[in-house]
Amino acid sequence: MMFPKYPLAFLPTPLHFLPNLSQKVPYQVYIKRDDQTGLASGGNKTRKLEFLIQEAINLDFDTIITAGAQQSNHCRQTAAACNKAGLECHLLLNGVEPENFQGNLLLDKILGAHLHFSGEKNKGRCQALENLKQKLINQGKKPYIVPVGGSNLTGALGYVSAVAELKQQMKAQNLDFDYIFFASSSGGTQAGLMIGQYLYNLGGKIMPVMIDKEEEMQVPLNQKIFDIIMAFNHQSQHKIDLLIEDIPLIKGYNTSGYGTVTTHEKEAIKVMAHEEGILLDPVYTGRAFYGMWDMLTRHLLPENSRVLFWHTGGLPALFAYHKELKNI
Ligand SMILES: *Cc1c(COP(=O)(O)O)cnc(C)c1O
């Protein structure tokens, strides 16, 4: 499958062994470094944006609108991608404008994105998005809406091709993985990995650690992933045979809700930083790694399994959580 993409990322991202962590558990632990995609500090959204930005250009749009939390890594990478591609960028962020800008929000500002705050109610976001779009159209602009997290089929293609990239690296390094852990939130990464797993015959079990609390999601995560995979079936010759019940999701590490840092995330950030000198983030990778590390230290997987942690980025959010992390 060949889809046009706008180059934004440094690819392939490194795939490497984690020797110190592997000494502590009866497993061989590896990491895929999508924190190193390179776009304004990187992350998984860069892969999605390569396809989304190209689609916007192909369809002759000149402005991008997207939405998210104030510490959205997706919004920050979208702002940087728009600059590179010469598109105007509007970000619709939850909540009210804070007095101090930190982390991703500060970077959004530095990148020069137009910032809009949708107020405390998440519910109002749909209407706010529509209003903003109309306002820009009235100004003679052609706005293209990138969904939250870049999670539609176009964005997911970033992770379909990431599987092809991983397969090549596995071949070159003579490696196979039994388990692939990562953080799953808006669904595009997981949908792309599942489509890629099917297309490129990737072995092993994917282990998506759910980040958001189910009650807090407007559309259930398994439904979002299912819809993207069905859209793929619809638009391609392929027919991935899948029931919504078959979509894997590891629950139980998300009980504190999105964006709440607990002793779990702190523990994960500390272990990875102290053992391997690698920085995780407090919202996504800290939580996902905690889930993985919990399973590994409790020996819940068969001994000697080869385990991959797919690092999806998020570094700037560390600075926004400086109060919670001071006493780590
Ligand atoms: C967005 C994000 C994720 C989750 O990816 P989805 O495709 O939204 O499920 C994981 N990690 C980081 C750092 C992210 O910014």
Side-chain angles (χ1 to χ4, degrees), residues 41-91:
S41 107
N44 64 338
K45 304 312 180 306
T46 303
R47 288 189 190 269
K48 300 177 180 187
L49 284 160
E50 292 197 312
F51 291 90
L52 291 160
I53 293 287
Q54 187 62 54
E55 183 169 271
I57 293 170
N58 290 350
L59 298 173
D60 217 22
F61 291 99
D62 57 14
T63 300
I64 301 284
I65 308 175
T66 198
Q70 293 193 1
Q71 284 306 320
S72 165
N73 299 298
H74 163 66
C75 287
R76 180 249 313 159
Q77 288 162 85
T78 302
C82 286
N83 290 354
K84 209 166 169 193
L87 301 166
E88 186 171 305
C89 181
H90 290 260
L91 303 177

Side-chain angles (χ1 to χ4, degrees), residues 44-45 69 71-74 182-186 209 211-212 258-259 265 280-290 309 312-314 317:
N44 64 338
K45 304 312 180 306
Q71 284 306 320
S72 165
N73 299 298
H74 163 66
F182 59 96
S184 193
S185 176
S186 69
V209 179
I211 301 303
D212 306 67
Y258 179 89
E265 290 78 30
L280 297 173
D281 85 281
V283 179
Y284 299 95
T285 55
R287 183 163 290 180
F289 183 81
Y290 179 81
F309 181 74
T312 45

